Amino acid sequence: MRGPDESVVHGSKATAKDLPSVDRLLRSEPVAALVAEHGHTLVVGEARALLEGLRAQAQAGSLDARAVSPEALGDALQQRVAQRLAPRMRPVLNLTGTVIHTNLGRALLADAALQHLLAVMSGPNNLEYDLATGGRGDRDSIVEELLCTLTGAEAATVVNNNAAAVLLSIAALARGREVIVSRGELVEIGGAFRMPDVMAAAGATLVEVGTTNRTHPHDYERAINERTALLMKVHTSNYAVHGFTSAVGEAALADIAHAKGLPLATDLGSGSLVDLGAHGLPREPLPQEMLAAGCDVVTFSGDKLLGGPQAGLVVGSREAVGRIRQFPMKRALRMSKLPLAALEATLRLYLRPERLARDLPTLRLLTRPAQAIDAMARALLPAVAKAVAPRFRASVVPLLGQIGSGSLPVERLPSAGLAIEPQQKKGTGRALDELAAALRSLPLPVIGRVAEDRLLLDLRCLDDEVPFVAQLPHLRHALALPPLP
Ligand SMILES: *Cc1c(COP(=O)(O)O)cnc(C)c1O
């Protein structure tokens, strides 16, 4: 081992010989404490990886002599261990302006759902056990009665997500046969979920009728033959066709289907269970309306406008839902007990519709008045402006947000927030990237959006400003700005 003086002579660089062995590192005092806390396996693994990395640096001649002191090695190892133990899935602040954001986990769970999850997941529960008879139960029965009460359906079943609900419904009702869908409704929901592909995956033959903008009753009628098993409507949830358009509504299509003894299925996508119009929001078709119009099967998501966990809900006639439930694929797509518990608690909130805007976070956020958001933005402005000065300036701006997850794609939600822009026009793009990255690097990452040379923070989904404000010193640090006095 060389002394510290020699390192200085070598331009403060360490060589591989300056690094301790794994054993010696483990015996050093700070590392022994780490082993006592986390055990041998994790710490040794990280110690090996740390020394390996440092050795490579040393061989490249780029290892600072200060990095090999026992204290520095102990600190570096502790950081590695902490990083390894830190969860990859983390809470973030969604200030994108999109309330139901697919990349940010979609709907937020209600307190009631979180509490119910905790209460029933920490021990055994009656997931598939009938407490009345003491015999085997069916997990569907946990939510079936609720779903029937809320939608007027005869029967209901639930699966992993709505994509699974659609796949299963088609497979159960039309495998090896034909399904008629309008060309105006051959939706792609995102990536791998495209109606023609789902049809093929379910083993059914898609029969397209009509045109992109217009489909008429006789288009369906002419396509029906002895191979037809199902007529299907798909809610165009993430786009809108305007102008010279015409589609056949559920009631008319149900008549056409039933006249030939065929079922009609509708995939609603988002499927709100309450009339959003009554909450001052744009209307979405309701599953209960689809059933009343004569649909035999209606499918919709649990974590879009419903405001619950990821789930695929299937409601409809006893006959059709029965076939779907009996289909062997159901077992592979069934819901886990965790989201099932959250779904039950979420659905129960709908039994008290007058309380919904208070109890259901999705609806609470969607109905937050723009003035309240604007007032919050004004209250936060001074602290944010101070935190990003002098490189950036901040202002309060009116914004237009959206519901998200394909719900009501053309509607915008009047909102408000903060716009942060670089003081210097030169290098704006880079400065904004840096600002966005700094916001994402915070302990509670803040996700905004960049538009028109500004970083926009829509405050609609900021329920509580305290954690946001508490992080502003971190933001200043991440932007390499001097700390405020
Ligand atoms: C979102 C959506 C789906 C998929 O639902 P997931 O719950 O995400 O699986 C299917 N169909 C339509 C029309 C949708 O909008």
Side-chain angles (χ1 to χ4, degrees):
M1 243 342 248
R2 295 172 311 163
D5 294 348
E6 255 174 293
S7 301
V8 173
V9 173
H10 282 84
S12 297
K13 295 290 177 243
T15 71
K17 283 198 208 113
D18 299 324
L19 290 167
S21 66
V22 173
D23 275 346
R24 228 184 80 211
L25 179 59
L26 288 178
R27 282 196 305 272
S28 76
E29 208 173 305
V31 176
L34 270 183
V35 174
E37 187 179 350
H38 300 290
H40 203 254
T41 309
L42 174 68
V43 180
V44 171
E46 292 303 319
R48 279 209 185 97
L50 172 68
L51 290 172
E52 223 164 84
L54 293 176
R55 197 165 298 119
Q57 278 183 41
Q59 276 153 5
S62 61
L63 182 59
D64 194 302
R66 282 166 300 190
V68 300
S69 73
E71 296 74 34
L73 289 171
D75 284 351
L77 186 55
Q78 177 169 17
Q79 264 183 32
R80 281 192 71 109
V81 168
Q83 238 175 46
R84 177 69 71 191
L85 291 173
R88 291 294 173 269
M89 192 186 249
R90 295 165 55 192
V92 303
L93 288 179
N94 171 12
L95 304 192
T96 61
T98 300
V99 176
I100 309 173
H101 198 301
T102 290
N103 302 145
L104 303 180
R106 287 198 183 161
L108 309 181
L109 287 185
D111 279 342
L114 294 171
Q115 281 169 24
H116 189 51
L117 258 180
L118 265 183
V120 293
M121 285 312 128
S122 40
N125 54 57
N126 62 333
L127 178 67
E128 291 185 351
Y129 185 79
D130 186 333
L131 289 172
T133 65
R136 196 198 144 92
D138 180 345
R139 66 178 68 201
D140 273 1
S141 66
I142 290 170
V143 288
E144 182 172 18
E145 193 192 316
L146 254 174
L147 274 170
C148 290
T149 304
L150 295 171
T151 64
E154 284 176 7
T157 183
V158 286
V159 285
N160 182 59
N161 58 9
N162 188 40
V166 174
L167 179 74
L168 176 66
S169 300
I170 297 170
L173 301 177
R175 193 181 163 92
R177 300 180 62 199
E178 293 181 357
V179 181
I180 304 174
V181 186
S182 160
R183 288 197 172 88
E185 299 172 6
L186 295 175
V187 177
E188 171 179 315
I189 303 306
F193 192 84
R194 311 173 94 187
M195 212 26 94
D197 301 342
V198 173
M199 223 36 98
T205 304
L206 170 64
V207 175
E208 306 174 13
V209 297
T211 61
T212 308
N213 56 328
R214 289 171 75 81
T215 303
H216 307 287
H218 58 80
D219 290 323
Y220 289 96
E221 280 162 339
R222 272 188 220 142
I224 294 175
N225 62 52
E226 69 285 352
R227 293 180 303 277
T228 308
L230 179 68
L231 270 58
M232 188 163 177
K233 274 197 71 80
V234 185
H235 187 54
T236 55
S237 55
N238 51 6
Y239 68 99
V241 181
H242 291 292
F244 187 52
T245 63
S246 134
V248 183
E250 276 76 7
L253 200 51
D255 285 345
I256 294 171
H258 296 162
K260 303 282 182 182
L262 295 169
L264 169 66
T266 289
D267 175 26
L268 272 188
S270 205
S272 170
L273 282 176
V274 288
D275 178 6
L276 294 179
H279 292 275
L281 292 163
R283 278 199 99 245
E284 271 275 293
L286 308 175
Q288 45 271 46
E289 293 168 349
M290 300 290 113
L291 293 169
C295 290
D296 300 275
V297 175
V298 180
T299 51
F300 53 106
S301 273
D303 56 356
K304 292 183 180 172
L305 279 171
L306 187 83
Q310 180 184 305
L313 290 73
V314 181
V315 295
S317 69
R318 201 167 287 113
E319 217 279 307
V321 172
R323 278 165 70 193
I324 291 166
R325 186 183 288 137
Q326 300 296 315
F327 196 71
M329 198 189 274
K330 164 74 162 55
R331 176 65 172 74
L333 301 174
R334 77 178 183 187
M335 241 178 124
S336 138
K337 62 182 179 176
L338 278 99
L340 189 58
L343 178 64
E344 184 198 357
T346 305
L347 289 172
R348 278 199 198 288
L349 296 177
Y350 281 86
L351 295 175
R352 307 191 303 182
E354 295 83 3
R355 304 284 161 85
L356 207 57
R358 184 194 70 184
D359 294 344
L360 195 70
T362 301
L363 196 56
R364 188 172 71 229
L365 294 175
L366 286 174
T367 54
R368 221 177 137 199
Q371 306 101 282
I373 307 170
D374 179 77
M376 184 187 235
R378 283 174 201 287
L380 288 180
L381 178 65
V384 172
K386 223 161 102 187
V388 297
R391 248 186 103 188
F392 298 89
R393 63 171 171 271
S395 54
V396 173
V397 285
L399 294 170
L400 289 175
Q402 48 188 316
I403 294 177
S405 270
S407 318
L408 314 156
V410 287
E411 305 286 349
R412 290 290 176 270
L413 296 174
S415 186
L418 297 167
I420 310 178
E421 57 199 307
Q423 289 283 13
Q424 289 186 350
K425 276 275 159 268
K426 203 160 148 268
T428 296
R430 251 226 338 263
L432 287 174
D433 287 349
E434 228 181 284
L435 176 61
L439 285 162
R440 290 195 307 270
S441 78
L442 296 174
L444 182 57
V446 172
I447 320 291
R449 68 180 200 265
V450 171
E452 293 160 16
D453 287 345
R454 301 177 304 177
L455 190 132
L456 303 175
L457 301 176
D458 187 315
L459 301 184
R460 174 174 294 279
C461 296
L462 188 64
D463 242 348
D464 175 7
E465 68 266 40
V466 173
F468 176 80
V469 174
Q471 303 198 100
L472 290 175
H474 289 279
L475 176 63
R476 215 170 153 72
H477 178 74
L479 289 169
L481 292 167
L484 291 169

